[in-house]
Amino acid sequence: MAQPFLTGYLGYGVAGATGGFSELPASNGYARRPISFSPIDYGRTRDTKGGTLGPCQVADFGMLSYGAVFDAPVAGNLLLSFPLPNPAYVAVGGTRTDATGTYAFRFPDLDLAALPRTTLSWPAGTQVAVLDGTALPVISGVPLTVAGGVLAANLPASLRQSGGSSSVWLPIGFRARGAPGSGYNETNAANSSFQDVTVWSTPASASVKALRLCYPGFDVTASGEADRAITVTGAASIQYNGLVYPAKFGGHRQMLIEPMHDMVVSDPIAVSLPPGVQFAVRTWGQVSGGSSWWLADYATPTSGTTRLAGEANARGTSLADHTLTTTTPSNSGGGYWGPVTVLALLSAPSAAVLVLGDSIAGGTGDAADANGRMGFIQRGLANSLPWASLARGSTTAAQAVAAGNGRGMYAAAVDRGITDVLLQWCRNDLNNGATAVQTRSSLQALAAPYLAAGIRVWVFTCPPTTTSSDAWASAANQSIPSAANETQRTAYNSDLRLNWRSYGFAGLVDIAGLLEDPANPGRWQTAGGAWTADGVHPTPSGHNALIAAGMIAPGMFVL
């Protein structure tokens, strides 16, 4: 029988005044209780021993908001500390009872099929895990080592590789245009079943040793992130070179996506792929609950069709499961239901990028290339390094903050080895009447958890918004629809150009400096023809100019 991942003693308290954990005093009926955690299973472990604290004897324990696992019933080493998933106030005479399974951790670095043969070490004070299903951090109190699938303290520590490692699962989202919920809203009750095939690519610089499929349990709506209301029961597989590799979820073929705010990630799929090749993901499912369900929006390739070769999206009722065959389903049009990204175990270390923002980040106004990549960000990155996009048109940074500070997006970054986050938002905030300071403050709020996790964050300047009487063929015939918004846009760009370093950002992508006509401030560039067709988004000429200028290039992102 496999050994427990961790055995120890659970203590309760609050967050320390300067960080860390502040435990209740060893009096008043307080004592740590034994706790044990299940063998690690692809990065996940759950406590197998519930228990009760108390009763509280003389004075209130007060609000208990943090927990910690120690290696001794008194004194000893603090191994892990974390926010309690269910903080509560305990008064005199009261108790706190945790059922078995209350504490579930997810260790991204331990998401390895070869875990029993793996040794990993973390220094003290490192975020080593999250509470499963959340972005709440689990912090090491002393240097920790995992050997043979068991966690222990006070063993020799080495620096933890925080992402970008060949032993970390990285996203290779080279096909998806945007976030879950960014495309079509399926409202036809007769279309409660789907059978879709989407095409993806491996990086040009590294071979793939294994793949995992990530299906979202949240949508990015026009109002920000939201829980999905539907339940999906289905199956999935990888198809490459005429062969099908079934996906499993927790050891089972059935994929179950329940209403939540997280991602369902498959077990590792053992498939070896060379650099720079395409493969297909086959997804089948039955939908229940809710009156509609969102589909991902995928860009149109330059072939003029809505699909890459081999792609398909069938809709109907009780469709057959074709994930174990190479049969191409009949096409129904509209969006696709597939992974939000695919994770790969790569043969070589790499930086990895997460793209967040609105329609400009999604590439609106551009013509997708032959691989379905659209916009200066996606085409600029191409398949030179791992990246994933959760961009969604018509959204704002303020909405992302209000909807939980992008918790699904944050989890997508910290759990997936992301080294760099692109925060493109600004345009819709400013055009909706936000001030320059408010817009920058929203971006700082969104950036804070990434920066705390050691992830670099990049921001963007805001291009003009204009109307035109000659289809933007000239600057002279462009007009600025809101002088107030333009004043804030100018102030925002000037502020970031001067102060982006002091705000903690890794870099500024100054797209406005190229797209704006220097001789006619506030108007779009027109050299060689119109650079916008709507006064908001760049045309293919504008996107090409941004790519040629190296606004987004793989060399910007290094380990």
Side-chain angles (χ1 to χ4, degrees):
M1 182 176 179
Q3 289 182 281
F5 174 66
L6 170 64
T7 57
Y9 298 85
L10 179 64
Y12 299 88
V14 296
T18 58
F21 173 72
S22 179
E23 189 177 12
L24 288 174
S27 60
N28 194 31
Y30 173 77
R32 298 172 190 166
R33 68 171 181 83
I35 192 168
S36 180
F37 287 83
S38 62
I40 200 83
D41 183 19
Y42 292 113
R44 286 182 164 90
T45 183
R46 185 178 295 271
D47 77 272
T48 60
K49 190 177 183 64
T52 298
L53 168 67
C56 182
Q57 295 176 352
V58 179
D60 294 357
F61 283 153
M63 176 58 72
L64 304 182
S65 59
Y66 257 69
V69 177
F70 294 84
D71 60 2
V74 294
N77 294 297
L78 188 159
L79 306 180
L80 302 171
S81 64
F82 44 88
L84 293 178
N86 51 352
Y89 192 96
V90 180
V92 172
T95 61
R96 176 192 170 93
T97 299
D98 293 323
T100 297
T102 295
Y103 302 101
F105 300 148
R106 182 177 183 182
F107 292 78
D109 284 1
L110 303 181
D111 194 354
L112 300 168
L115 180 65
R117 302 185 300 278
T118 300
T119 299
L120 292 174
S121 297
W122 299 294
T126 300
Q127 179 175 328
V128 298
V130 294
L131 295 185
D132 200 12
T134 78
L136 297 175
V138 178
I139 307 297
S140 59
V142 295
L144 299 175
T145 295
V146 176
V150 177
L151 182 73
N154 286 338
L155 296 177
S158 62
L159 291 178
R160 177 178 181 238
Q161 178 72 274
S162 58
S165 165
S166 61
S167 64
V168 175
W169 293 90
L170 298 176
I172 53 172
F174 302 129
R175 177 70 174 98
R177 176 180 177 184
S182 64
Y184 299 84
N185 190 8
E186 180 61 77
T187 59
N188 187 345
N191 289 341
S192 60
S193 183
F194 60 85
Q195 174 68 67
D196 289 11
V197 181
T198 52
V199 171
W200 305 72
S201 301
T202 61
S205 58
S207 60
V208 169
K209 297 186 283 186
L211 294 171
R212 304 187 74 178
L213 308 179
C214 296
Y215 291 89
F218 66 94
D219 291 318
V220 181
T221 72
S223 300
E225 285 191 24
D227 294 1
R228 282 199 157 170
I230 62 170
T231 297
V232 177
T233 304
S237 64
I238 298 291
Q239 179 182 333
Y240 175 69
N241 204 23
L243 299 176
V244 172
Y245 302 82
K248 290 188 176 181
F249 299 82
H252 302 283
R253 274 278 293 145
Q254 177 177 290
M255 171 179 66
L256 177 62
I257 305 176
E258 299 175 292
M260 57 176 179
H261 203 111
D262 195 7
M263 290 193 192
V264 171
V265 183
S266 75
D267 300 343
I269 304 168
V271 52
S272 177
L273 302 174
V277 299
Q278 291 185 336
F279 62 93
V281 177
R282 305 180 68 89
T283 307
W284 165 82
Q286 292 286 145
V287 178
S288 61
S291 58
S292 64
W293 44 290
W294 286 96
L295 304 163
D297 192 3
Y298 290 83
T300 302
T302 49
S303 61
T305 69
T306 58
R307 304 172 181 89
L308 294 177
E311 290 189 322
N313 55 343
R315 301 286 174 270
T317 302
S318 301
L319 294 179
D321 176 6
H322 289 307
T323 58
L324 295 181
T325 75
T326 58
T327 301
T328 301
S330 301
N331 288 307
S332 299
Y336 289 85
W337 211 101
V340 67
T341 195
V342 177
L343 301 178
L345 197 62
L346 301 180
S347 62
S350 177
V353 178
L354 177 64
V355 182
L356 304 177
D358 57 33
S359 55
I360 290 180
T364 296
D366 193 25
D369 64 17
N371 294 295
R373 294 186 283 266
M374 187 170 180
F376 73 99
I377 296 178
Q378 292 190 15
R379 291 204 285 126
L381 293 173
N383 67 339
S384 295
L385 81 172
W387 60 267
S389 176
L390 291 178
R392 208 290 190 190
S394 302
T395 56
T396 68
Q399 289 170 340
V401 173
N405 211 30
R407 56 194 174 119
M409 298 174 185
Y410 173 74
V414 298
D415 285 359
R416 315 290 177 224
I418 293 294
T419 58
D420 295 81
V421 169
L422 305 184
L423 288 183
Q424 175 275 320
W425 280 298
C426 60
R427 156 63 62 76
N428 292 330
D429 293 81
L430 294 166
N431 279 2
N432 288 346
T435 67
V437 172
Q438 289 170 334
T439 302
R440 187 249 300 158
S441 296
S442 293
L443 291 174
Q444 287 181 287
L446 288 173
Y450 300 109
L451 296 175
I455 298 172
R456 296 180 293 257
V457 178
W458 303 67
V459 289
F460 292 64
T461 53
C462 182
T465 296
T466 66
T467 59
S468 174
S469 60
D470 64 357
W472 290 273
S474 68
N477 286 323
Q478 295 181 44
S479 300
I480 297 172
S482 171
N485 290 352
E486 175 63 14
T487 297
Q488 295 303 318
R489 185 190 75 89
T490 301
Y492 172 81
N493 288 346
S494 297
D495 178 33
L496 283 190
R497 286 166 179 154
L498 288 172
N499 301 310
W500 60 267
R501 287 185 181 87
S502 65
Y503 296 143
F505 298 124
L508 175 66
V509 184
D510 191 2
I511 60 174
L514 185 68
L515 297 176
E516 189 169 355
D517 187 337
N520 297 276
R523 277 76 175 173
W524 280 79
Q525 177 68 262
T526 59
W531 285 32
T532 181
D534 58 7
V536 176
H537 305 95
T539 59
S541 295
H543 284 283
N544 289 337
L546 293 169
I547 294 170
M551 287 291 169
I552 295 293
M556 297 166 57
F557 312 107
V558 296
L559 292 179

